[in-house]
Amino acid sequence: MDAGSTNSSAVKSRTRCPLQDQLLQRKNSRDNVRGSHPSALSLIVSHVLQLDRFIPNRSAMDFDYAHYMLTEGRKGKENPAVSSPSREAYRKQLAETFNMNRTRILAFKNKPPTPVEAIPHDFSGVQQSKPTKARRYIPQTSERTLDAPDLLDDYYLNLLDWGSSNVLAIALGSTVYLWDATDGATSELVTVDDENGPVTSVKWAPDGKHIAIGLNNSDVQLWDSTSNKQLRNLRGCHQSRVGSMDWNNHILTTGGMDGQIVNNDVRIRSHIVETYRGHHQEVCGLKWSASGQQLASGGNDNLLHIWDRSTASSNSPTQWLHRLEDHTAAVKALAWCPFQGNLLASGGGGGDRCIKFWNTHTGACLNSVDTGSQVCSLLWNKNERELLSSHGFTQNQLTLWKYPSMVKIAELTGHTSRVLFMAQSPDGCTVASAAGDETLRFWNVFGTPEVAKPAPKANPEPFAHLNRIR
């Protein structure tokens, strides 16, 4: 049949009932049937007007359905087509859905409201979305604030660290204090002489008992925090103050104002085992990767270096793996990603204000975000894909970012001077921040990690307890 001869009623019928439309195409004399549509309805209406005192409501009548019931519907009942039980069940379900089981053609009331869902769940291909995860509540104020008098307001130093034994170390002037996060007890570890101090860096060893203390006179002291005894003094590493340190098992890496980076094996008498030369000014940031294979170093010369442990040499200065020159200010803030081993985040000083992300295998810069202020420190959330940054002028805030979109999740304010240092608790939930306003604040920014569901037990092999027959 020519498509141009299709009337509006036939189109409506096809769109509403595709299955029935397929049956109609198999019938003969279709044009004649459509031609009898108006006359058939007029006969029915006139007959009712004569025998019934009620007048039908034309606006509530479905003329397409009436035409089908007077013609094709009756033919289907008289000559039923042979079909499978599943096909018949589908036809009945579809008929109920589109209200095709009606026996009355005329309507004397308004149309019923349109059903909310025209297609049943059993035949819908749209899957219901999973329930969204509830957004974590992030307190906007610090949960605890401690005084930190004589804290040096120096961007290039590293005066705060939180050890694996849940003890926080902070250097105030020439004195190193220990604060036990378990019971809140405070103790003094050491006060250095004025000619040696002030303290310029502190770093806990992985065991949480031993701590390295860098001094202004270029010495590095190793202390046992449990017995409050000095174990040794590392000399000859640098020519001036030691502002940055990091541990790699038994190797203590130190960075000085002289631009040198030194690996010290604290187990042996001649502790200097490797030297990295690449910076021209003070080394203010040092971080080993979790694997211990790569070292990131940032300096006041605006340079970021990636060093590979496998290429280190004790006979000559080690050549860097990557020399990255994208920052336009000092690079102090460094943080290795806990869920992607070759991803490094770095932050620039007041003339740069950017957080950059690097693929340390290739040296490629993956992204750069202008934060609007000096980036002093960076910390990754151990449980979520989030990054925390601390800043200087103008807001002196902590900013929580969603990675990799780098959308701001929260901004935490309270410090009145630049937030120079941050440290993360062993469980990864709490962050301590120290600022030039001589306060130490604790933030519950990363929240409590979800309890991991136990992995389902593997089904044991049938009859595993019986001896096999060879």
Side-chain angles (χ1 to χ4, degrees):
M1 182 180 66
D2 187 7
S5 63
T6 305
N7 58 23
S8 61
S9 62
V11 173
K12 291 180 183 179
S13 179
R14 185 184 300 115
T15 56
R16 292 177 61 191
C17 305
L19 184 61
Q20 295 296 328
D21 189 47
Q22 294 175 8
L23 294 177
L24 286 175
Q25 291 176 359
R26 290 197 284 265
K27 303 299 181 181
N28 297 324
S29 305
R30 192 170 180 180
D31 295 334
N32 295 333
V33 170
R34 285 191 177 126
S36 63
H37 178 193
S39 59
L41 284 179
S42 60
L43 290 175
I44 294 293
V45 172
S46 62
H47 178 72
V48 172
L49 289 176
Q50 294 177 3
L51 301 179
D52 199 337
R53 58 190 179 90
F54 297 105
I55 300 175
N57 185 354
R58 293 179 62 87
S59 62
M61 293 174 60
D62 190 342
F63 287 93
D64 294 330
Y65 176 72
H67 172 247
Y68 169 75
M69 289 300 294
L70 290 172
T71 58
E72 303 299 333
R74 184 166 298 279
K75 291 181 180 180
K77 292 181 179 180
E78 294 174 355
N79 301 308
V82 179
S83 62
S84 63
S86 60
R87 192 178 187 88
E88 184 65 22
Y90 176 77
R91 187 194 64 77
K92 291 181 179 180
Q93 182 69 36
L94 201 63
E96 292 178 2
T97 302
F98 291 104
N99 199 18
M100 298 292 292
N101 293 328
R102 292 169 290 170
T103 58
R104 181 177 296 177
I105 297 177
L106 299 180
F108 300 93
K109 295 181 181 179
N110 292 331
K111 288 184 178 181
T114 305
V116 177
E117 188 174 359
I119 301 177
H121 291 288
D122 296 341
F123 301 100
S124 176
V126 181
Q127 296 181 355
Q128 293 184 354
S129 59
K130 296 180 180 179
T132 57
K133 185 179 179 180
R135 186 173 181 179
R136 184 178 80 251
Y137 170 70
I138 302 174
Q140 299 298 301
T141 58
S142 57
E143 61 181 10
R144 189 166 191 170
T145 303
L146 302 178
D147 289 329
D150 300 326
L151 179 70
L152 297 180
D153 188 2
D154 193 326
Y155 176 80
Y156 303 102
L157 305 183
N158 292 271
L159 305 178
L160 182 69
D161 196 29
W162 203 328
S164 59
S165 296
N166 207 19
V167 177
L168 185 136
I170 185 170
L172 304 178
S174 297
T175 304
V176 176
Y177 292 92
L178 303 181
W179 183 79
D180 193 331
T182 304
D183 54 12
T186 303
S187 61
E188 177 183 326
L189 178 65
V190 58
T191 298
V192 299
D193 299 333
D194 292 338
E195 60 268 20
N196 297 327
V199 177
T200 53
S201 57
V202 294
K203 192 65 180 179
W204 283 102
D207 61 6
K209 297 179 180 179
H210 300 91
I211 186 170
I213 301 174
L215 302 179
N216 191 60
N217 71 341
S218 76
D219 287 354
V220 177
Q221 296 181 358
L222 298 181
W223 283 75
D224 186 341
S225 64
T226 57
S227 61
N228 278 31
K229 291 183 179 180
Q230 182 179 347
L231 301 178
R232 66 182 301 184
N233 194 10
L234 306 180
R235 289 190 173 95
C237 306
H238 302 278
Q239 303 300 319
S240 54
R241 71 179 186 179
V242 180
S244 57
M245 298 185 296
D246 199 21
W247 288 88
N248 187 359
N249 294 322
H250 55 271
I251 298 295
L252 174 63
T253 304
T254 58
M257 184 180 276
D258 55 9
Q260 290 195 70
I261 302 171
V262 178
N263 281 349
N264 301 273
D265 190 336
V266 300
R267 303 171 300 176
I268 60 179
R269 185 178 184 87
S270 300
H271 51 84
I272 300 177
V273 292
E274 287 130 12
T275 303
Y276 302 150
R277 291 189 176 95
H279 291 281
H280 308 302
Q281 297 186 37
E282 182 169 15
V283 179
C284 49
L286 281 177
K287 281 291 187 298
W288 279 101
S289 63
S291 65
Q293 285 300 116
Q294 290 187 329
L295 172 69
S297 66
N300 193 30
D301 51 8
N302 308 345
L303 295 177
L304 171 63
H305 286 101
I306 306 298
W307 312 84
D308 197 303
R309 185 80 167 87
S310 60
T311 61
S313 173
S314 58
N315 299 325
S316 61
T318 302
Q319 181 69 19
W320 59 79
L321 179 64
H322 299 295
R323 183 173 188 153
L324 310 172
E325 304 178 4
D326 294 33
H327 283 290
T328 57
V331 183
K332 176 196 173 185
L334 300 171
W336 290 92
C337 179
F339 51 83
Q340 186 174 338
N342 64 325
L343 177 61
L344 175 72
S346 63
D352 181 79
R353 307 182 305 274
C354 290
I355 298 176
K356 297 182 184 295
F357 298 91
W358 309 89
N359 182 336
T360 60
H361 288 171
T362 63
C365 183
L366 306 176
N367 192 14
S368 181
V369 178
D370 189 344
T371 66
S373 59
Q374 181 185 52
V375 183
C376 302
S377 185
L378 292 171
L379 287 175
W380 286 95
N381 187 341
K382 297 178 181 179
N383 307 306
E384 300 286 345
R385 292 178 181 259
E386 298 170 351
L387 181 69
L388 182 68
S389 58
S390 68
H391 300 271
F393 183 80
T394 60
Q395 293 185 333
N396 308 310
Q397 83 280 16
L398 282 73
T399 303
L400 184 63
W401 309 83
K402 185 67 177 178
Y403 183 83
S405 64
M406 291 305 287
V407 173
K408 289 184 181 180
I409 301 176
E411 286 195 335
L412 312 178
T413 57
H415 285 292
T416 58
S417 183
R418 56 182 180 175
V419 188
L420 295 168
F421 319 111
M422 288 197 303
Q424 193 172 10
S425 61
D427 62 3
C429 300
T430 306
V431 171
S433 62
D437 57 10
E438 298 186 343
T439 62
L440 178 63
R441 295 175 181 266
F442 296 85
W443 311 84
N444 185 18
V445 61
F446 289 147
T448 304
E450 295 183 357
V451 179
K453 295 182 179 179
K457 295 182 179 179
N459 293 328
E461 184 180 353
F463 311 109
H465 60 286
L466 299 178
N467 293 329
R468 296 181 180 271
I469 301 176
R470 293 183 180 179

